[in-house]
Amino acid sequence: MNDSDWMTIALTEAQKAFAAGEVPVGALIVRDDKVLAKAHNRRESMKSALAHAELLAIQSACKKLGGWRLTDCTLYVTLEPCPMCAGAILNAQIRRVVFGAKDEKMGAFGGFLDLREKKGLFRTEVEPGVREEESRALLQDFFRRLREA
């Protein structure tokens, strides 16, 4: 499968979040062409500021692998990771991050700031804009409905 195909799974996770009244962000972690973990935002349902899709997927993948290093993995996520999630990605040493929509307000891989510019941190490869229009449309639809409610 290619990046666009994997992002389809992340978008499906984001749609689950949307249906549950959560900000529609979905993520998955892939290693050796197999999904290790997938998740979507659950901050409202879990009553936790930490329940971002990326963090839930990282936690699940680490548990599955029995360690905290995800060096041979790729993270797919529908929205550019925030500073908290980017920090976790760098700490988990995820080799590659592929995301959909840029986040100009909170994105930490080029949208608002770029943590990869900081010396001494793990270097992760970032591929922005994969299925960007679909990712952005889902977010815009969610927030439009929220304002109308």
Side-chain angles (χ1 to χ4, degrees):
M1 290 187 10
N2 62 31
D3 288 343
S4 181
D5 295 333
W6 291 118
M7 193 61 83
T8 298
I9 299 169
L11 283 162
T12 299
E13 286 296 313
Q15 289 164 349
K16 289 178 187 177
F18 187 105
E22 302 273 1
V23 174
V25 177
L28 70 144
I29 296 176
V30 174
R31 185 176 82 169
D32 297 329
D33 287 325
K34 293 186 178 97
V35 175
L36 287 178
K38 56 186 177 177
H40 55 274
N41 271 357
R42 298 190 56 210
R43 290 190 307 172
E44 300 299 332
S45 65
M46 293 179 76
K47 308 291 187 233
S48 173
L50 303 177
H52 286 209
E54 301 97 319
L55 295 183
L56 296 172
I58 289 169
Q59 185 175 29
S60 179
C62 287
K63 187 175 182 177
K64 187 170 190 174
L65 293 176
W68 61 268
R69 289 180 185 89
L70 301 175
T71 51
D72 297 328
C73 297
T74 298
L75 170 76
Y76 293 89
V77 61
T78 56
L79 180 64
E80 180 181 357
C82 71
M84 175 178 68
C85 292
I89 289 163
L90 296 173
N91 277 296
Q93 300 180 355
I94 294 175
R95 179 182 57 84
R96 187 165 175 257
V97 175
V98 177
F99 68 82
K102 269 202 170 288
D103 186 347
E104 301 295 330
K105 292 181 181 177
M106 287 297 291
F109 285 139
F112 172 69
L113 61 96
D114 196 337
L115 288 182
R116 295 171 303 155
E117 294 175 351
K118 306 299 178 196
K119 292 184 190 304
L121 294 179
F122 179 82
R123 295 285 180 223
T124 190
E125 176 187 337
V126 175
E127 180 70 35
V130 176
R131 307 285 290 271
E132 181 174 11
E133 289 180 21
E134 292 162 88
S135 298
R136 184 167 313 290
L138 193 58
L139 286 158
Q140 289 172 338
D141 190 26
F142 176 81
F143 287 111
R144 182 173 44 259
R145 289 183 189 199
L146 198 60
R147 284 190 301 274
E148 292 170 356

